[in-house]
């Protein structure tokens, strides 16, 4: 595999910026990046036109709106979002089994109505900003963290979802239990030189790929770097070493 190819295939850059202008500036600087994530901050600011901007540049799109509501509402949201023709779409596993099933069906319907490919629907197991201590003391969940993440992933899989968003620290266990065809998409990725900030359950890009992650989501280590192209290049080189 050529230099940078693994990063191009497996790294999704999170465009957590406040407006369209900043997003375009970053996308145009990071010309080797093929996959971008649009999350709550950018989508709330720009609406769907940001997706058109990315499509016009032939980029793959992860629409990370993390829907979390009752079954009827998440189904409607997934039906609408699927019409945009995005590649990945998120919902929280904590919506529950009934909502996850309704969302899965609705995403198929929305895509068919719009004549586009359905998105891969993936469920957030447990935000990577939550530590074991916070899970127990703030969220009052009595399970050990790895067991809780596994239960959320299995519920998503049984409900027909294509995969989950999980911490890279849980990838080995989830891959073993959910099999090779289940997508494991990992934020909380931190090169050794990057600040962890609010991420509590992180690994380096190379560690996450070796563990078995399908995609790595990386935001601030690239987007807030003094030189985002150089940050991308360093990550690409680290991944080339394991390719
Ligand atoms: O559990 C989760 C789910 C989603 N995210 C999102 O990924 C990126 C990570 O950005 P960094 O700047 O690399 O921390 C961000 O858009 C989150 O909304 C997550 O971090 N953890």
């Amino acid at each position: 595999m050529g230099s940078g190819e693994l990063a191009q295939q497996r790294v999704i850059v999170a465009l957590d910026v406040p407006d369209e202008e900043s997003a375009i500036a970053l996308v145009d600087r990071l010309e080797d990046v093929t996959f971008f994530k649009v999350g709550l901050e950018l989508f709330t600011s720009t609406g769907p036109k940001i997706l058109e901007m990315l499509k016009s540049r032939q980029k793959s799109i992860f629409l990370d709106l993390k829907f979390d509501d009752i079954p009827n509402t998440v189904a409607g949201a997934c039906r609408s979002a699927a019409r945009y023709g995005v590649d990945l779409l998120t919902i929280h596993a904590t919506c529950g089994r009934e909502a996850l099933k309704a969302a899965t069906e609705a995403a198929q319907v929305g895509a068919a109505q719009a004549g586009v490919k359905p998105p891969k629907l993936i469920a957030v197991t447990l935000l990577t900003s939550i530590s074991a201590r916070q899970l127990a003391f703030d969220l009052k969940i009595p399970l050990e963290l790895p067991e809780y993440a596994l239960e959320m992933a299995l519920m998503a899989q049984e409900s027909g979802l294509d995969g989950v968003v999980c911490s890279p620290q849980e990838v080995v266990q989830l891959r073993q239990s959910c099999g090779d065809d289940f997508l494991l998409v990992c934020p909380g990725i931190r090169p050794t030189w990057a600040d962890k900030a609010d991420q509590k359950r992180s690994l380096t890009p190379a560690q996450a790929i070796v563990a078995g992650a399908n995609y790595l989501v990386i935001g601030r280590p690239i987007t807030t770097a003094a030189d985002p192209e150089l940050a991308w290049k360093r990550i690409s080189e680290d991944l080339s070493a394991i390719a």
Side-chain angles (χ1 to χ4, degrees):
M1 195 173 284
S3 175
E5 241 177 87
L6 190 58
Q8 280 188 315
Q9 291 168 1
R10 311 277 283 276
V11 175
I12 303 173
V13 173
L15 285 174
D16 292 324
V17 291
D19 51 41
E20 188 184 15
E21 197 189 351
S22 323
I24 292 176
L26 259 175
V27 170
D28 289 344
R29 279 184 83 164
L30 296 167
E31 57 178 18
D32 289 340
V33 177
T34 62
F35 211 146
F36 285 95
K37 183 174 90 73
V38 174
L40 292 168
E41 180 182 7
L42 185 57
F43 195 79
T44 303
S45 157
T46 67
K49 69 180 171 184
I50 196 68
L51 308 177
E52 293 313 315
M53 181 280 282
L54 290 168
K55 282 187 199 171
S56 71
R57 287 164 170 76
Q58 282 79 48
K59 304 298 184 185
S60 299
I61 303 172
F62 173 7
L63 184 57
D64 183 24
L65 299 182
K66 297 189 191 71
F67 297 132
D68 194 0
D69 214 312
I70 61 171
N72 183 60
T73 303
V74 287
C78 286
R79 197 176 309 114
S80 295
R83 293 192 186 113
Y84 294 135
V86 296
D87 300 278
L88 292 175
L89 181 65
T90 43
I91 180 170
H92 273 288
T94 47
C95 286
R97 208 174 281 273
E98 190 187 335
L100 293 175
K101 284 185 183 161
T104 307
E105 286 162 22
Q108 298 290 327
V109 171
Q113 285 169 342
V116 295
K117 212 172 129 210
K120 300 281 186 201
L121 185 62
I122 56 178
V124 178
T125 50
L126 176 69
L127 291 169
T128 52
S129 55
I130 303 286
S131 65
R133 194 179 159 74
Q134 287 170 316
L135 183 74
F137 293 98
D138 297 343
L139 305 188
K140 311 289 182 205
I141 304 282
L143 298 182
E144 293 294 324
L145 192 152
E147 195 187 344
Y148 177 75
L150 177 60
E151 290 297 336
M152 294 299 107
L154 290 174
M155 178 170 62
Q157 189 171 40
E158 288 157 13
S159 306
L161 272 78
D162 298 290
V164 288
V165 176
C166 63
S167 150
Q169 295 185 5
E170 283 113 50
V171 162
V172 170
Q173 178 202 16
L174 296 189
R175 179 63 70 216
Q176 233 169 32
S177 303
C178 301
D180 288 343
D181 295 336
F182 199 59
L183 280 179
L184 301 179
V185 178
C186 296
I189 303 296
R190 288 292 182 268
T192 49
W193 42 265
D195 182 6
K196 287 201 172 51
D198 49 4
Q199 296 289 0
K200 304 285 179 357
R201 308 193 325 278
S202 64
L203 287 183
T204 68
Q207 286 170 334
I209 290 288
V210 169
N214 296 95
Y215 291 106
L216 314 182
V217 177
I218 309 182
R220 289 163 289 181
I222 296 172
T223 58
T224 66
D227 184 342
E229 295 98 315
L230 179 62
W232 166 260
K233 190 163 172 273
R234 289 177 75 182
I235 290 169
S236 299
E237 285 170 359
D238 285 352
L239 289 178
S240 298
I242 58 157

